[in-house]
C-alpha cells in the first residue's frame, strides 16, 4: 500500500490532536509532523517530504494563506478553518478541499481521498491550462492567457493588464514568472512580465506591448532577443 506523508498545521492544540487521531486511523497516511504555526511548518516543508498538508488559515505570526503564497512547490493542501467566509480564498489558493470546523471523520476522509486522487494525477502528464484564477476584491477572476498583455508588479500587488480590463491582486511577481507558460510570457524587468504574442516592437530600452512602452532591464535584454529570434525562426 502506498503511504502518503501528512503535515498538520494548526495553532490550536485540540484541533491538532483531533487531526492527528484522524490521520492515525487511515492506513495509507503517515504523520510527518504536527506544527503549531506556519513558521514551523515552513521548516518542516523545507526538510521533509510532505504529500498532504492539513492547514488552518487563521494563525498568529503567519496565516495559512501567506504560507501557501510563499511556497514554490506545494503539497496537496486541505484547508481547515472555523470561518466559512474563507471559501473563496480556498479556491483562489488552488487547494484540494476546504474543511469547515467542526468536521467529522467521514468528511475528513472524503477530503483525504480527493488529495490522494490529485497526487495520483500529478504523476501523469496533464494538459496545460490556458488560464489561471486570481482572487481580488472578494471575487475570483479568470485570467485568460490569450487576453493577457502584461503583468506589472506594484510592491506587494500585481496588475494583470488584459485586452479588455485590468485586475489588481495580491500576488508575487516571482511566483507568476514560474507559473505562467514560459513559451508565451517573459520577464523583461523587475516589475514587468510580458506576453510574447503581443510584442509590437523592441528598441534599446523599451518593448511595446499593446500600445504600452515597457522598460527592458539590462539583465533581461539579451535573453529576450534570443527568445524572439528562436520564436521567429
Amino acid at each position: 500500500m502506498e503511504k502518503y506523508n501528512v503535515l498538520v498545521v494548526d495553532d490550536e492544540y485540540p484541533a491538532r490532536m483531533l487531526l492527528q487521531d484522524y490521520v492515525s486511523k487511515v492506513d495509507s497516511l503517515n504523520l510527518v509532523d504536527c506544527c503549531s504555526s506556519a513558521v514551523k511548518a515552513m521548516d518542516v516543508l523545507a526538510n521533509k517530504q510532505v504529500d498532504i498538508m492539513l492547514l488552518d488559515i487563521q494563525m498568529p505570526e503567519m496565516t495559512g494563506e501567506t504560507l501557501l503564497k510563499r511556497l514554490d512547490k506545494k503539497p496537496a493542501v486541505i484547508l481547515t478553518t472555523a470561518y466559512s467566509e474563507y471559501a473563496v480564498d480556498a479556491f483562489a489558493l488552488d487547494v484540494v478541499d476546504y474543511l469547515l470546523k467542526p468536521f467529522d471523520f467521514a468528511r475528513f476522509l472524503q477530503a483525504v481521498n480527493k488529495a490522494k486522487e490529485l497526487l495520483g494525477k500529478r504523476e501523469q502528464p496533464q494538459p496545460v491550462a490556458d488560464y489561471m484564477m486570481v482572487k481580488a476584491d472578494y471575487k475570483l477572476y479568470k485570467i485568460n492567457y490569450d487576453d493577457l498583455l502584461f503583468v506589472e508588479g506594484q510592491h506587494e500587488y500585481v496588475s494583470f493588464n488584459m485586452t479588455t480590463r485590468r485586475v489588481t491582486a495580491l500576488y508575487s511577481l516571482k511566483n507568476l514568472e514560474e507559473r505562467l507558460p514560459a513559451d508565451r510570457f517573459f520577464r523583461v524587468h523587475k516589475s514587468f512580465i510580458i506576453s510574447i504574442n503581443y510584442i509590437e516592437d523592441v528598441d534599446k530600452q523599451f518593448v511595446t506591448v499593446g500600445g504600452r512602452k515597457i522598460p527592458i532591464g539590462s539583465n533581461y535584454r539579451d535573453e529576450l532577443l534570443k527568445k524572439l529570434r528562436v520564436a521567429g525562426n
Side-chain angles (χ1 to χ4, degrees), residues 4 13 22 35 45 62 107 138 188:
Y4 296 90
Y13 178 78
Y22 281 178
C35 297
L45 289 163
M62 183 192 300
R107 180 67 183 90
Y138 303 101
V188 295

Side-chain angles (χ1 to χ4, degrees), residues 82-101:
Y83 304 96
S84 60
E85 60 266 28
Y86 286 108
V88 171
D89 299 77
F91 289 106
L93 293 168
D94 192 27
V95 302
V96 176
D97 208 343
Y98 175 93
L99 297 179
L100 185 62
K101 299 176 182 178

Side-chain angles (χ1 to χ4, degrees), residues 24-35:
S24 69
K25 292 179 179 178
V26 184
D27 292 338
S28 60
L29 301 183
N30 171 53
L31 185 66
V32 171
D33 210 332
C34 260
C35 297

